[in-house]
Structures are given as C-alpha cells and as structure tokens.
Amino acid sequence: MFDNPFTPLFGGRPGCFCGREGILRRFDRAMSDYGSDDRALFITGSRGYGKAALLEQLSMRARAQGRKVIDVGSDNPIGGIMRHLVPFDEATKTIDPEVEISVMGPGGSLRAGSSSKTVRYERDDFEYVFLNACLEDGFKLLVTIDEIQKVSLDGVSLISEAFQMASRKGCDAMIAIAGLPYAYEPIIQKNGCAFLRRASYEQLGPLSADEVREALEESFGSIKGTSLEKDALELLLRESKGHPYIMQLQGYYLIDNINEKVQKRSYRIEVKDVECAMPAVRKAYDSRALEPLVAAMSRSEVEYLHAMAGLLGEERTAETGAIAQKMGKSQKQLSTVRTNLVDNGIVGAPGRGKLAFIIPYLADYILRTEGDANSVVASALEWGM
C-alpha cells in the first residue's frame, strides 16, 4: 500500500501544500524587516483556493522562527486573543488575585486564583491588554484570523487600532487575516481600520500551470514506490483548473484507487489511472464544494448563473446584456444580483459588459442540476407522499 499524503479537507491543513511561494517568501523577509508592508497581510479568495491552508503555513513558519503565534477564527477573535495574552499563570504571577476576563457579546470569562480582588477586562480594554502584553513580555507576535467576513466591523476596528498602537510603540507584532472577496472593501473603508488599509492585499486565484505542475511532481515524487507518467501529469494539470482543493481530491482518489487494485511495491501512474479517478473527484467536488455554494445563493442568483452558463462562448465569457435579455429583465433590475455574484467571488468581469465564471466546473454544475430535486424530495415524490 502506498502512503497517501493528500488531504482534501476544507479549512484543514493539507499534507501537501501547493504554490503561493511568492507570498511565503515575502512573509519570511517581513519577519525580520520592520519596515515591510507584508507585516500585515489581508488575504481574500473564493472557497477552496487555500486561504486557511496559507494562514496555517504562515503560522508554522512564524513558530519555527520563535514567534508567539495566536490563531483565532471568526467566533469572538478579540476574546480568543485576550485569552492567549492573559493566561492563568501570568494573571496570578504578580498580584495573585482572582482574575476575570469578560468579553462582551459571544465569549465568556476566564478566572484564576482565589483571592478577594477581581480585575475585570471588558471588550473595550482589548487595546490596553494587547499593548501591555506586547510591551511587558517583549515577544515577537503573529496573529492570524480566518473568515474575517464573519467578524463585526467594530471588532475588526478594535483589532486594527490595537495593532496600530503596538506598531507605534515599536512592538514586533504581525497580523494575517483571510476572508471571502467581499470582505475587503467594507473593512478598509471602516473608520479605525487604517492599519489594515495599509496591509498587503493578496487575492488568491487559480495557481499557474507551472505551480500546479511543480506541486504535482513534488507531491507524487514524495510517495515511495510511485512514478507519474508525463501524459498523466498533464491530464491532472488540465482537470485541476489550478484549483488547490481539486488537486487534493485528485491526489487522494488517485492513490486510493491504486491502493485498492495494486499489490506491487512500485507503480507507474498512467492516463488510464487518472481517468478512472476523475469521476470520484468530480462527485466529491460537486457535493463538498459546489452543492453547498449554490445552496447558499438566492434563487435570483442561481437563475442569473443558469442564464449566464447557457450563453458562454468560446472565450468562456457571457455578455451582461445577453444575460438580461435571456431572463426577460433589464440590466438595471439585475445589477444587485450581478454585484453580489462578483463580490462573493463567484464570477468575475474580464471586460466591460462581460462576465466569466471563476469557480471551476460551476457552470456545468448549474446546467446539470437546475430544477433537480434532492434525493429525499425525489423519493417522496416517487412514492406519492
């Protein structure tokens, strides 16, 4: 049996990380360059393009350099950061009181000791707690926050202002945040977010062909006993569309299929093996990525995408005027729907009056599934319930 290093998990740390070498190199330099704009990173991208995986790479690299790293999600990041900065032992080290950190809104309290005095920190004390910890302990810090679009703008503002003050005081504090494409504009326009407004902005898209080829060669080359035929590599590259999550699915199902049928200790992967694995890859991608994506859309958005998918030409673009005409509406009536789809990273505008799908295989999925009932509903209708 061959080891399978591929881990197609949304939001998880992949066993094989693909691409983004330019961002990683700049981040490495920024850890020792106090003047670098890359000490604050604002990363956006559609689902599956590796935002969480990239944050984890930054976190791992920072830890390897001896930095204190605080990784938090979108559920009360302020409370999460404060809990890391005021742990039990530090709270009782000098004053030995009962200490409570209370964060308004979702969150809770943190207590230590059992004396008569209580020090209570509220949400608005975040900047004080953050700066005090950075100055007193003198550590090098990295904070990462995922799904930033789910954090309130007031919360993001508090975090930004705390980092602004820490920077002003000469603290070695770095931050990397990630979210869906529509998160960027509201945050940089928000009062109090000047620090993040100056952050390096990275919008993740498909990997380049060279990045995909290099990643596949490296990943399969790490599996003892296997080799990858050139034509098989090129087929994987074409079918991946440069999408990191699809690449993980390809590798996982390809090795899984080989392990089921091959007993030898060495195996050369051919085109037929890739072709055999691709149906499982597409099925998994449909159910794990595309189905939840479409289910979260409004009916009008799905209808717009269906009209658009039916109008794609050789260049894989559709005219906005033609979409409106097909739907029997004016472009003005559809402007909100179109803007939402662009802001959410579902479609992009390669030129004036033109749209293109930027989620792999979504156009095909929309055309295949439009009007289909799910399996439970279909069964109920079959039985005449």
Side-chain angles (χ1 to χ4, degrees):
M1 180 174 286
F2 301 105
D3 291 335
N4 196 334
F6 297 95
T7 50
L9 301 172
F10 259 119
R13 183 171 76 186
C16 303
F17 182 77
C18 306
R20 316 306 183 194
E21 291 298 326
I23 300 174
L24 294 175
R25 284 195 298 270
R26 285 166 33 212
F27 177 79
D28 287 344
R29 290 196 298 268
M31 282 195 282
S32 58
D33 181 0
Y34 283 76
S36 172
D37 290 338
D38 297 312
R39 293 177 67 80
L41 288 173
F42 198 135
I43 301 161
T44 67
S46 300
R47 298 193 185 281
Y49 278 116
K51 299 183 298 298
L54 178 56
L55 285 184
E56 183 60 21
Q57 289 296 311
L58 301 179
S59 177
M60 292 165 57
R61 286 169 178 255
R63 283 194 175 92
Q65 293 297 318
R67 283 187 174 270
K68 180 179 180 67
V69 178
I70 301 175
D71 300 313
V72 294
S74 58
D75 183 15
N76 189 24
I78 290 176
I81 296 170
M82 290 178 77
R83 290 185 185 95
H84 278 86
L85 294 178
V86 190
F88 295 142
D89 56 344
E90 291 184 10
T92 59
K93 188 186 302 179
T94 55
I95 55 177
D96 196 28
E98 179 185 62
V99 174
E100 179 179 37
I101 297 176
S102 176
V103 182
M104 301 297 288
S109 62
L110 173 67
R111 296 175 181 273
S114 58
S115 186
S116 59
K117 184 179 179 183
T118 296
V119 177
R120 185 178 181 88
Y121 292 123
E122 301 289 344
R123 184 172 184 270
D124 290 341
D125 295 318
F126 175 70
E127 182 178 307
Y128 166 79
V129 172
F130 184 83
L131 184 60
N132 191 57
C134 289
L135 290 173
E136 286 196 358
D137 292 343
F139 47 64
K140 298 180 178 181
L141 176 67
L142 170 68
V143 172
T144 73
I145 307 173
D146 198 10
E147 301 281 5
I148 196 67
Q149 74 277 358
K150 297 180 181 178
V151 182
S152 72
L153 289 176
D154 287 340
V156 176
S157 177
L158 281 175
I159 294 169
S160 180
E161 289 177 336
F163 270 88
Q164 177 73 54
M165 183 56 70
S167 176
R168 172 182 159 185
K169 296 296 184 182
C171 301
D172 191 347
M174 301 175 68
I175 186 171
I177 63 176
L180 294 176
Y182 69 83
Y184 183 69
E185 284 297 328
I187 288 176
I188 64 169
Q189 298 299 329
K190 170 71 175 176
N191 288 336
C193 288
F195 186 81
L196 293 177
R197 196 174 300 131
R198 296 191 294 271
S200 288
Y201 178 47
E202 294 290 339
Q203 188 167 10
L204 302 186
L207 299 172
S208 69
D210 287 342
E211 286 178 314
V212 174
R213 188 177 290 107
E214 181 180 347
L216 290 173
E217 288 176 338
E218 182 179 339
S219 299
F220 283 99
S222 70
I223 305 173
K224 187 177 180 180
T226 67
S227 59
L228 190 61
E229 190 181 72
K230 182 179 179 181
D231 288 344
L233 170 64
E234 293 304 313
L235 179 56
L236 285 170
L237 188 154
R238 291 195 301 272
E239 294 290 330
S240 75
K241 308 298 183 185
H243 195 275
Y245 183 62
I246 295 176
M247 293 168 63
Q248 294 290 335
L249 287 170
Q250 287 176 322
Y252 178 82
Y253 283 105
L254 184 52
I255 297 301
D256 190 56
N257 284 356
I258 291 171
N259 280 334
E260 283 189 3
K261 67 179 183 180
V262 175
Q263 302 299 320
K264 298 181 295 183
R265 293 186 177 181
S266 64
Y267 188 80
R268 184 164 179 78
I269 301 170
E270 301 177 354
V271 167
K272 64 181 181 180
D273 298 305
V274 178
E275 292 173 340
C276 183
M278 282 309 299
V281 171
R282 291 292 300 273
K283 183 178 179 180
Y285 179 67
D286 282 356
S287 62
R288 299 182 195 179
L290 299 183
E291 184 178 339
L293 179 69
V294 173
M297 296 180 191
S298 69
R299 181 65 187 174
S300 58
E301 289 171 342
V302 175
E303 290 173 350
Y304 192 95
L305 292 179
H306 187 269
M308 177 180 165
L311 291 167
L312 295 177
E314 291 184 5
E315 296 181 350
R316 303 297 292 174
T317 63
E319 301 282 346
T320 55
I323 297 171
Q325 185 177 10
K326 186 173 182 178
M327 296 180 68
K329 297 183 178 181
S330 69
Q331 292 194 57
K332 184 175 181 180
Q333 287 175 305
L334 295 169
S335 62
T336 299
V337 175
R338 182 175 63 251
T339 299
N340 287 342
L341 291 170
V342 172
D343 289 348
N344 281 280
I346 309 300
V347 302
R352 185 174 178 84
K354 293 184 178 182
L355 291 176
F357 282 88
I358 56 178
I359 303 292
Y361 301 111
L362 179 58
D364 174 63
Y365 178 83
I366 288 286
L367 292 175
R368 280 190 290 111
T369 60
E370 175 66 8
D372 287 355
N374 66 43
S375 58
V376 174
V377 175
S379 297
L381 292 173
E382 182 180 350
W383 284 100
M385 293 181 184

